[in-house]
Amino acid sequence: DIKDGGAFISDGYSQKYNIEVGDEVTLKESYGDKKYNFKVEGIYDDPATIAVYLTDSDFIKTFELEDGYFNGYFSNTKIKDIDDLYIATTITKDDLTKTSRQLILSMGSMISMFATAGVIMFMLIVYLLSKVIIEKNSQSISMTKILGYNNREINSLYITTTTIVVIASMLLTVPIVNVTLKYIFKVAFAQYSGWMPYYVPAKIFVEVPLLGIVSYAVIAFILTRRVKKVPLDEALKNVE
């Protein structure tokens, strides 16, 4: 659907350089002084490639090539009407996804290890912080027991409040971290000639908070037992 005189750019080109439909791009020869200006008529869904697409006639005219010259074709089916003599290489979908498959195979187990380590670290930090809160308020907890409050009511005063803070912080920080990583990713790849899109599946924004809530539920259960074990005579101790 490219019109003569216009150009399409890849999605990766658009993302990396913040180029939108209607903008103009200027390409310069690597080893010369010639410059080529193109108006962006559309964006082609090819997020991992930096590319500009032209019609055959515009390509030949712009780069002063012979009629009938081509450097590549996109096709959903196998092309059978080109002599093998003129085919330098054939790139299939399998070729394009080979690198990502290799990364999944080589780093998939590492990602699981990082996720497990992250959950353990999260549980440890939240447990220690919550434990400090209970220990600092052990006399107050003991006094509430003397005054007739049961363990469930005491938990609502201390653990429930901490639970609200933990859940709220997870719901707020996940999108903030996503935006921050997206920016860092873009800045980092701006230094290289290629491009790899930053992509987080929508399910991650559900799985991460749920994983955090389940992890904290284990911690909350442990903390309720600590509250239950606070003795009544704790309130009678002198505090220096």
Side-chain angles (χ1 to χ4, degrees):
D1 296 328
I2 306 175
K3 298 178 182 178
D4 287 334
F8 270 46
I9 63 172
S10 63
D11 199 12
Y13 197 162
S14 173
Q15 292 175 14
K16 183 171 183 177
Y17 298 107
N18 296 318
I19 300 173
E20 302 294 339
V21 174
D23 293 343
E24 289 190 357
V25 295
T26 300
L27 304 182
K28 181 180 178 297
E29 283 186 329
S30 298
Y31 304 102
D33 297 326
K34 287 186 178 181
K35 294 182 179 180
Y36 305 94
N37 297 316
F38 304 100
K39 183 176 181 181
V40 179
E41 299 286 350
I43 298 174
Y44 182 77
D45 185 16
D46 190 5
T49 304
I50 305 297
V52 176
Y53 308 100
L54 304 173
T55 62
D56 288 345
S57 58
D58 273 353
F59 180 76
I60 291 171
K61 180 180 177 181
T62 301
F63 298 101
E64 301 175 353
L65 302 168
E66 296 180 359
D67 288 342
Y69 179 91
F70 68 92
N71 68 344
Y73 283 107
F74 280 140
S75 176
N76 291 327
T77 58
K78 186 174 182 179
I79 300 175
K80 300 179 180 180
D81 57 351
I82 300 178
D83 194 311
D84 289 343
L85 177 66
Y86 301 108
I87 299 178
T89 183
T90 301
I91 301 174
T92 65
K93 182 178 179 180
D94 184 67
D95 296 323
L96 293 173
T97 57
K98 183 182 296 183
T99 301
S100 59
R101 294 200 309 274
Q102 290 175 344
L103 285 172
I104 291 172
L105 288 174
S106 61
M107 297 188 65
S109 58
M110 292 180 63
I111 296 300
S112 299
M113 290 172 58
F114 287 141
T116 302
V119 171
I120 293 173
M121 185 64 68
F122 166 78
M123 294 179 68
L124 181 61
I125 292 174
V126 174
Y127 171 74
L128 291 175
L129 291 174
S130 303
K131 178 173 172 286
V132 169
I133 294 174
I134 293 177
E135 289 177 348
K136 290 289 185 182
N137 292 276
S138 60
Q139 285 194 315
S140 299
I141 294 172
S142 179
M143 181 61 71
T144 55
K145 288 185 177 182
I146 293 173
L147 294 175
Y149 287 86
N150 58 40
N151 289 325
R152 180 178 295 179
E153 291 171 327
I154 297 172
N155 288 335
S156 67
L157 292 173
Y158 294 95
I159 298 177
T160 303
T161 304
T162 306
T163 302
I164 293 172
V165 172
V166 170
I167 293 176
S169 63
M170 283 191 295
L171 294 177
L172 290 172
T173 55
V174 168
I176 292 174
V177 169
N178 178 58
V179 172
T180 303
L181 286 176
K182 188 175 183 179
Y183 173 77
I184 293 174
F185 202 86
K186 187 170 185 178
V187 171
F189 266 90
Q191 311 301 319
Y192 300 95
S193 58
W195 178 253
M196 185 180 292
Y198 175 82
Y199 172 70
V200 178
K203 65 178 183 178
I204 295 297
F205 296 100
V206 178
E207 290 179 355
V208 171
L210 283 178
L211 187 59
I213 291 171
V214 171
S215 301
Y216 181 74
V218 176
I219 297 170
F221 174 75
I222 297 172
L223 294 176
T224 56
R225 296 179 65 84
R226 290 190 65 89
V227 170
K228 188 176 181 180
K229 291 181 179 180
V230 175
L232 296 176
D233 61 357
E234 186 71 23
L236 303 178
K237 292 183 179 179
N238 293 326
V239 180
E240 296 182 0

